[in-house]
PDB file of all heavy atoms in Angstrom:
ATOM      1  N   GLU A 287       8.389  -7.999 -17.878  1.00 82.00           N
ATOM      2  CA  GLU A 287       8.978  -8.288 -19.182  1.00 82.00           C
ATOM      3  C   GLU A 287       9.914  -7.169 -19.638  1.00 82.00           C
ATOM      4  O   GLU A 287      10.920  -7.413 -20.299  1.00 82.00           O
ATOM      5  CB  GLU A 287       7.869  -8.491 -20.218  1.00 82.00           C
ATOM      6  CG  GLU A 287       6.980  -9.696 -19.988  1.00 82.00           C
ATOM      7  CD  GLU A 287       7.745 -11.010 -20.092  1.00 82.00           C
ATOM      8  OE1 GLU A 287       8.723 -11.073 -20.863  1.00 82.00           O
ATOM      9  OE2 GLU A 287       7.372 -11.974 -19.407  1.00 82.00           O
ATOM     10  N   ALA A 288       9.582  -5.927 -19.279  1.00 86.00           N
ATOM     11  CA  ALA A 288      10.412  -4.780 -19.670  1.00 86.00           C
ATOM     12  C   ALA A 288      11.556  -4.521 -18.693  1.00 86.00           C
ATOM     13  O   ALA A 288      12.321  -3.577 -18.878  1.00 86.00           O
ATOM     14  CB  ALA A 288       9.546  -3.531 -19.784  1.00 86.00           C
ATOM     15  N   GLN A 289      11.665  -5.351 -17.651  1.00 89.00           N
ATOM     16  CA  GLN A 289      12.713  -5.201 -16.645  1.00 89.00           C
ATOM     17  C   GLN A 289      12.676  -3.821 -15.996  1.00 89.00           C
ATOM     18  O   GLN A 289      13.714  -3.161 -15.787  1.00 89.00           O
ATOM     19  CB  GLN A 289      14.092  -5.464 -17.263  1.00 89.00           C
ATOM     20  CG  GLN A 289      14.368  -6.917 -17.628  1.00 89.00           C
ATOM     21  CD  GLN A 289      14.622  -7.754 -16.376  1.00 89.00           C
ATOM     22  OE1 GLN A 289      15.737  -7.829 -15.848  1.00 89.00           O
ATOM     23  NE2 GLN A 289      13.575  -8.380 -15.881  1.00 89.00           N
ATOM     24  N   THR A 290      11.471  -3.378 -15.656  1.00 93.00           N
ATOM     25  CA  THR A 290      11.280  -2.062 -15.062  1.00 93.00           C
ATOM     26  C   THR A 290      11.217  -2.169 -13.543  1.00 93.00           C
ATOM     27  O   THR A 290      10.309  -2.803 -13.003  1.00 93.00           O
ATOM     28  CB  THR A 290       9.972  -1.427 -15.576  1.00 93.00           C
ATOM     29  OG1 THR A 290      10.021  -1.342 -16.997  1.00 93.00           O
ATOM     30  CG2 THR A 290       9.783  -0.028 -14.990  1.00 93.00           C
ATOM     31  N   PRO A 291      12.144  -1.563 -12.822  1.00 95.00           N
ATOM     32  CA  PRO A 291      12.083  -1.566 -11.356  1.00 95.00           C
ATOM     33  C   PRO A 291      11.088  -0.524 -10.867  1.00 95.00           C
ATOM     34  O   PRO A 291      10.632   0.334 -11.639  1.00 95.00           O
ATOM     35  CB  PRO A 291      13.512  -1.192 -10.947  1.00 95.00           C
ATOM     36  CG  PRO A 291      13.990  -0.316 -12.074  1.00 95.00           C
ATOM     37  CD  PRO A 291      13.340  -0.856 -13.324  1.00 95.00           C
ATOM     38  N   GLY A 292      10.748  -0.571  -9.594  1.00 95.00           N
ATOM     39  CA  GLY A 292       9.815   0.423  -9.084  1.00 95.00           C
ATOM     40  C   GLY A 292       9.660   0.383  -7.581  1.00 95.00           C
ATOM     41  O   GLY A 292      10.135  -0.535  -6.908  1.00 95.00           O
ATOM     42  N   ARG A 293       8.979   1.415  -7.073  1.00 96.00           N
ATOM     43  CA  ARG A 293       8.723   1.524  -5.640  1.00 96.00           C
ATOM     44  C   ARG A 293       7.300   2.030  -5.418  1.00 96.00           C
ATOM     45  O   ARG A 293       6.766   2.796  -6.219  1.00 96.00           O
ATOM     46  CB  ARG A 293       9.708   2.481  -4.963  1.00 96.00           C
ATOM     47  CG  ARG A 293      11.132   1.953  -4.878  1.00 96.00           C
ATOM     48  CD  ARG A 293      12.024   2.956  -4.164  1.00 96.00           C
ATOM     49  NE  ARG A 293      11.608   3.183  -2.790  1.00 96.00           N
ATOM     50  CZ  ARG A 293      12.002   2.444  -1.750  1.00 96.00           C
ATOM     51  NH1 ARG A 293      12.832   1.425  -1.937  1.00 96.00           N
ATOM     52  NH2 ARG A 293      11.580   2.717  -0.532  1.00 96.00           N
ATOM     53  N   VAL A 294       6.715   1.602  -4.306  1.00 97.00           N
ATOM     54  CA  VAL A 294       5.400   2.076  -3.878  1.00 97.00           C
ATOM     55  C   VAL A 294       5.460   2.304  -2.376  1.00 97.00           C
ATOM     56  O   VAL A 294       5.972   1.453  -1.639  1.00 97.00           O
ATOM     57  CB  VAL A 294       4.279   1.060  -4.195  1.00 97.00           C
ATOM     58  CG1 VAL A 294       2.954   1.532  -3.620  1.00 97.00           C
ATOM     59  CG2 VAL A 294       4.156   0.838  -5.691  1.00 97.00           C
ATOM     60  N   LEU A 295       4.962   3.446  -1.929  1.00 96.00           N
ATOM     61  CA  LEU A 295       4.787   3.689  -0.498  1.00 96.00           C
ATOM     62  C   LEU A 295       3.292   3.633  -0.217  1.00 96.00           C
ATOM     63  O   LEU A 295       2.540   4.531  -0.608  1.00 96.00           O
ATOM     64  CB  LEU A 295       5.357   5.049  -0.095  1.00 96.00           C
ATOM     65  CG  LEU A 295       5.216   5.403   1.394  1.00 96.00           C
ATOM     66  CD1 LEU A 295       5.954   4.381   2.269  1.00 96.00           C
ATOM     67  CD2 LEU A 295       5.728   6.805   1.673  1.00 96.00           C
ATOM     68  N   ALA A 296       2.853   2.555   0.403  1.00 97.00           N
ATOM     69  CA  ALA A 296       1.427   2.331   0.660  1.00 97.00           C
ATOM     70  C   ALA A 296       1.053   2.847   2.036  1.00 97.00           C
ATOM     71  O   ALA A 296       1.794   2.661   3.009  1.00 97.00           O
ATOM     72  CB  ALA A 296       1.098   0.848   0.553  1.00 97.00           C
ATOM     73  N   GLU A 297      -0.097   3.492   2.113  1.00 97.00           N
ATOM     74  CA  GLU A 297      -0.606   3.999   3.394  1.00 97.00           C
ATOM     75  C   GLU A 297      -1.981   3.402   3.666  1.00 97.00           C
ATOM     76  O   GLU A 297      -2.826   3.331   2.768  1.00 97.00           O
ATOM     77  CB  GLU A 297      -0.701   5.520   3.363  1.00 97.00           C
ATOM     78  CG  GLU A 297      -1.237   6.113   4.668  1.00 97.00           C
ATOM     79  CD  GLU A 297      -1.335   7.628   4.618  1.00 97.00           C
ATOM     80  OE1 GLU A 297      -2.238   8.144   3.905  1.00 97.00           O
ATOM     81  OE2 GLU A 297      -0.520   8.290   5.270  1.00 97.00           O
ATOM     82  N   PHE A 298      -2.192   2.976   4.906  1.00 97.00           N
ATOM     83  CA  PHE A 298      -3.477   2.392   5.299  1.00 97.00           C
ATOM     84  C   PHE A 298      -3.498   2.288   6.808  1.00 97.00           C
ATOM     85  O   PHE A 298      -2.474   2.503   7.481  1.00 97.00           O
ATOM     86  CB  PHE A 298      -3.654   1.000   4.673  1.00 97.00           C
ATOM     87  CG  PHE A 298      -2.480   0.083   4.882  1.00 97.00           C
ATOM     88  CD1 PHE A 298      -2.426  -0.793   5.962  1.00 97.00           C
ATOM     89  CD2 PHE A 298      -1.404   0.112   4.010  1.00 97.00           C
ATOM     90  CE1 PHE A 298      -1.335  -1.621   6.162  1.00 97.00           C
ATOM     91  CE2 PHE A 298      -0.299  -0.715   4.194  1.00 97.00           C
ATOM     92  CZ  PHE A 298      -0.267  -1.585   5.268  1.00 97.00           C
ATOM     93  N   ILE A 299      -4.649   1.959   7.335  1.00 98.00           N
ATOM     94  CA  ILE A 299      -4.787   1.769   8.780  1.00 98.00           C
ATOM     95  C   ILE A 299      -4.827   0.283   9.096  1.00 98.00           C
ATOM     96  O   ILE A 299      -5.517  -0.484   8.414  1.00 98.00           O
ATOM     97  CB  ILE A 299      -6.056   2.474   9.300  1.00 98.00           C
ATOM     98  CG1 ILE A 299      -5.777   3.977   9.401  1.00 98.00           C
ATOM     99  CG2 ILE A 299      -6.520   1.900  10.621  1.00 98.00           C
ATOM    100  CD1 ILE A 299      -6.780   4.770  10.171  1.00 98.00           C
ATOM    101  N   VAL A 300      -4.073  -0.110  10.105  1.00 98.00           N
ATOM    102  CA  VAL A 300      -4.093  -1.480  10.610  1.00 98.00           C
ATOM    103  C   VAL A 300      -5.059  -1.533  11.789  1.00 98.00           C
ATOM    104  O   VAL A 300      -4.937  -0.762  12.747  1.00 98.00           O
ATOM    105  CB  VAL A 300      -2.690  -1.939  11.047  1.00 98.00           C
ATOM    106  CG1 VAL A 300      -2.756  -3.334  11.668  1.00 98.00           C
ATOM    107  CG2 VAL A 300      -1.734  -1.936   9.870  1.00 98.00           C
ATOM    108  N   SER A 301      -6.040  -2.424  11.697  1.00 98.00           N
ATOM    109  CA  SER A 301      -7.071  -2.527  12.727  1.00 98.00           C
ATOM    110  C   SER A 301      -6.544  -3.253  13.970  1.00 98.00           C
ATOM    111  O   SER A 301      -5.488  -3.904  13.917  1.00 98.00           O
ATOM    112  CB  SER A 301      -8.278  -3.289  12.172  1.00 98.00           C
ATOM    113  OG  SER A 301      -7.957  -4.671  12.022  1.00 98.00           O
ATOM    114  N   PRO A 302      -7.246  -3.171  15.101  1.00 97.00           N
ATOM    115  CA  PRO A 302      -6.826  -3.904  16.303  1.00 97.00           C
ATOM    116  C   PRO A 302      -6.783  -5.414  16.105  1.00 97.00           C
ATOM    117  O   PRO A 302      -6.104  -6.114  16.849  1.00 97.00           O
ATOM    118  CB  PRO A 302      -7.891  -3.505  17.340  1.00 97.00           C
ATOM    119  CG  PRO A 302      -8.396  -2.180  16.873  1.00 97.00           C
ATOM    120  CD  PRO A 302      -8.374  -2.266  15.374  1.00 97.00           C
ATOM    121  N   SER A 303      -7.508  -5.930  15.101  1.00 97.00           N
ATOM    122  CA  SER A 303      -7.490  -7.371  14.836  1.00 97.00           C
ATOM    123  C   SER A 303      -6.368  -7.768  13.884  1.00 97.00           C
ATOM    124  O   SER A 303      -6.239  -8.952  13.548  1.00 97.00           O
ATOM    125  CB  SER A 303      -8.837  -7.813  14.255  1.00 97.00           C
ATOM    126  OG  SER A 303      -9.104  -7.153  13.027  1.00 97.00           O
ATOM    127  N   GLY A 304      -5.559  -6.809  13.429  1.00 97.00           N
ATOM    128  CA  GLY A 304      -4.415  -7.133  12.579  1.00 97.00           C
ATOM    129  C   GLY A 304      -4.728  -7.203  11.104  1.00 97.00           C
ATOM    130  O   GLY A 304      -4.003  -7.855  10.351  1.00 97.00           O
ATOM    131  N   GLU A 305      -5.768  -6.523  10.657  1.00 97.00           N
ATOM    132  CA  GLU A 305      -6.114  -6.478   9.245  1.00 97.00           C
ATOM    133  C   GLU A 305      -5.991  -5.059   8.726  1.00 97.00           C
ATOM    134  O   GLU A 305      -6.154  -4.090   9.472  1.00 97.00           O
ATOM    135  CB  GLU A 305      -7.551  -6.980   9.022  1.00 97.00           C
ATOM    136  CG  GLU A 305      -7.774  -8.426   9.441  1.00 97.00           C
ATOM    137  CD  GLU A 305      -9.223  -8.832   9.287  1.00 97.00           C
ATOM    138  OE1 GLU A 305     -10.085  -7.924   9.235  1.00 97.00           O
ATOM    139  OE2 GLU A 305      -9.495 -10.036   9.216  1.00 97.00           O
ATOM    140  N   ALA A 306      -5.706  -4.948   7.417  1.00 97.00           N
ATOM    141  CA  ALA A 306      -5.654  -3.634   6.791  1.00 97.00           C
ATOM    142  C   ALA A 306      -7.079  -3.161   6.502  1.00 97.00           C
ATOM    143  O   ALA A 306      -7.889  -3.914   5.966  1.00 97.00           O
ATOM    144  CB  ALA A 306      -4.847  -3.683   5.504  1.00 97.00           C
ATOM    145  N   VAL A 307      -7.379  -1.940   6.868  1.00 97.00           N
ATOM    146  CA  VAL A 307      -8.677  -1.339   6.555  1.00 97.00           C
ATOM    147  C   VAL A 307      -8.574  -0.786   5.140  1.00 97.00           C
ATOM    148  O   VAL A 307      -8.011   0.277   4.902  1.00 97.00           O
ATOM    149  CB  VAL A 307      -9.028  -0.221   7.554  1.00 97.00           C
ATOM    150  CG1 VAL A 307     -10.397   0.385   7.232  1.00 97.00           C
ATOM    151  CG2 VAL A 307      -9.000  -0.761   8.980  1.00 97.00           C
ATOM    152  N   MET A 308      -9.107  -1.531   4.158  1.00 95.00           N
ATOM    153  CA  MET A 308      -8.860  -1.220   2.756  1.00 95.00           C
ATOM    154  C   MET A 308      -9.509   0.090   2.309  1.00 95.00           C
ATOM    155  O   MET A 308      -9.093   0.676   1.317  1.00 95.00           O
ATOM    156  CB  MET A 308      -9.320  -2.369   1.864  1.00 95.00           C
ATOM    157  CG  MET A 308      -8.539  -3.667   2.096  1.00 95.00           C
ATOM    158  SD  MET A 308      -6.740  -3.443   2.052  1.00 95.00           S
ATOM    159  CE  MET A 308      -6.483  -2.927   0.365  1.00 95.00           C
ATOM    160  N   GLU A 309     -10.521   0.571   3.026  1.00 94.00           N
ATOM    161  CA  GLU A 309     -11.125   1.862   2.677  1.00 94.00           C
ATOM    162  C   GLU A 309     -10.154   3.010   2.901  1.00 94.00           C
ATOM    163  O   GLU A 309     -10.363   4.116   2.396  1.00 94.00           O
ATOM    164  CB  GLU A 309     -12.394   2.105   3.503  1.00 94.00           C
ATOM    165  CG  GLU A 309     -13.557   1.200   3.159  1.00 94.00           C
ATOM    166  CD  GLU A 309     -13.422  -0.178   3.799  1.00 94.00           C
ATOM    167  OE1 GLU A 309     -12.466  -0.395   4.580  1.00 94.00           O
ATOM    168  OE2 GLU A 309     -14.283  -1.040   3.513  1.00 94.00           O
ATOM    169  N   THR A 310      -9.074   2.744   3.653  1.00 96.00           N
ATOM    170  CA  THR A 310      -8.087   3.794   3.911  1.00 96.00           C
ATOM    171  C   THR A 310      -6.818   3.609   3.090  1.00 96.00           C
ATOM    172  O   THR A 310      -5.862   4.359   3.253  1.00 96.00           O
ATOM    173  CB  THR A 310      -7.705   3.815   5.410  1.00 96.00           C
ATOM    174  OG1 THR A 310      -7.043   2.584   5.757  1.00 96.00           O
ATOM    175  CG2 THR A 310      -8.937   3.991   6.281  1.00 96.00           C
ATOM    176  N   PHE A 311      -6.808   2.617   2.188  1.00 96.00           N
ATOM    177  CA  PHE A 311      -5.597   2.336   1.414  1.00 96.00           C
ATOM    178  C   PHE A 311      -5.389   3.377   0.318  1.00 96.00           C
ATOM    179  O   PHE A 311      -6.316   3.761  -0.400  1.00 96.00           O
ATOM    180  CB  PHE A 311      -5.673   0.956   0.774  1.00 96.00           C
ATOM    181  CG  PHE A 311      -4.497   0.636  -0.124  1.00 96.00           C
ATOM    182  CD1 PHE A 311      -3.379  -0.021   0.372  1.00 96.00           C
ATOM    183  CD2 PHE A 311      -4.493   1.032  -1.457  1.00 96.00           C
ATOM    184  CE1 PHE A 311      -2.298  -0.300  -0.449  1.00 96.00           C
ATOM    185  CE2 PHE A 311      -3.416   0.746  -2.288  1.00 96.00           C
ATOM    186  CZ  PHE A 311      -2.320   0.095  -1.779  1.00 96.00           C
ATOM    187  N   SER A 312      -4.147   3.826   0.179  1.00 95.00           N
ATOM    188  CA  SER A 312      -3.749   4.665  -0.951  1.00 95.00           C
ATOM    189  C   SER A 312      -2.249   4.525  -1.140  1.00 95.00           C
ATOM    190  O   SER A 312      -1.524   4.099  -0.224  1.00 95.00           O
ATOM    191  CB  SER A 312      -4.114   6.137  -0.732  1.00 95.00           C
ATOM    192  OG  SER A 312      -3.353   6.694   0.322  1.00 95.00           O
ATOM    193  N   ALA A 313      -1.787   4.828  -2.338  1.00 96.00           N
ATOM    194  CA  ALA A 313      -0.355   4.846  -2.624  1.00 96.00           C
ATOM    195  C   ALA A 313       0.114   6.292  -2.497  1.00 96.00           C
ATOM    196  O   ALA A 313      -0.245   7.144  -3.307  1.00 96.00           O
ATOM    197  CB  ALA A 313      -0.065   4.304  -4.014  1.00 96.00           C
ATOM    198  N   VAL A 314       0.899   6.569  -1.464  1.00 96.00           N
ATOM    199  CA  VAL A 314       1.388   7.934  -1.250  1.00 96.00           C
ATOM    200  C   VAL A 314       2.292   8.350  -2.410  1.00 96.00           C
ATOM    201  O   VAL A 314       2.154   9.441  -2.966  1.00 96.00           O
ATOM    202  CB  VAL A 314       2.146   8.042   0.089  1.00 96.00           C
ATOM    203  CG1 VAL A 314       2.662   9.463   0.310  1.00 96.00           C
ATOM    204  CG2 VAL A 314       1.243   7.613   1.241  1.00 96.00           C
ATOM    205  N   THR A 315       3.219   7.470  -2.771  1.00 96.00           N
ATOM    206  CA  THR A 315       4.082   7.702  -3.936  1.00 96.00           C
ATOM    207  C   THR A 315       4.254   6.380  -4.680  1.00 96.00           C
ATOM    208  O   THR A 315       4.171   5.298  -4.080  1.00 96.00           O
ATOM    209  CB  THR A 315       5.485   8.222  -3.541  1.00 96.00           C
ATOM    210  OG1 THR A 315       6.141   7.252  -2.711  1.00 96.00           O
ATOM    211  CG2 THR A 315       5.399   9.539  -2.804  1.00 96.00           C
ATOM    212  N   THR A 316       4.499   6.460  -5.961  1.00 97.00           N
ATOM    213  CA  THR A 316       4.804   5.277  -6.763  1.00 97.00           C
ATOM    214  C   THR A 316       5.562   5.706  -8.007  1.00 97.00           C
ATOM    215  O   THR A 316       5.344   6.814  -8.516  1.00 97.00           O
ATOM    216  CB  THR A 316       3.531   4.506  -7.168  1.00 97.00           C
ATOM    217  OG1 THR A 316       3.880   3.354  -7.925  1.00 97.00           O
ATOM    218  CG2 THR A 316       2.597   5.377  -8.009  1.00 97.00           C
TER     219      THR A 316
END
C-alpha cells in the first residue's frame, strides 16, 4: 500500500531431495 520496494538475500541449505532445510533459513540482508 505504501509502494515500498525492497530486497532480501535469503540463505538456506537445499537438501538432496530438493527441499529447503528451514532450520538453516536466515535473511543475510534485507
Side-chain angles (χ1 to χ4, degrees):
E287 295 296 329
Q289 289 286 275
T290 302
R293 290 181 63 87
V294 175
L295 180 61
E297 180 180 72
F298 50 93
I299 283 193
V300 176
S301 72
S303 61
E305 298 176 340
V307 181
M308 296 309 296
E309 291 80 5
T310 65
F311 176 92
S312 67
V314 180
T315 61
T316 181

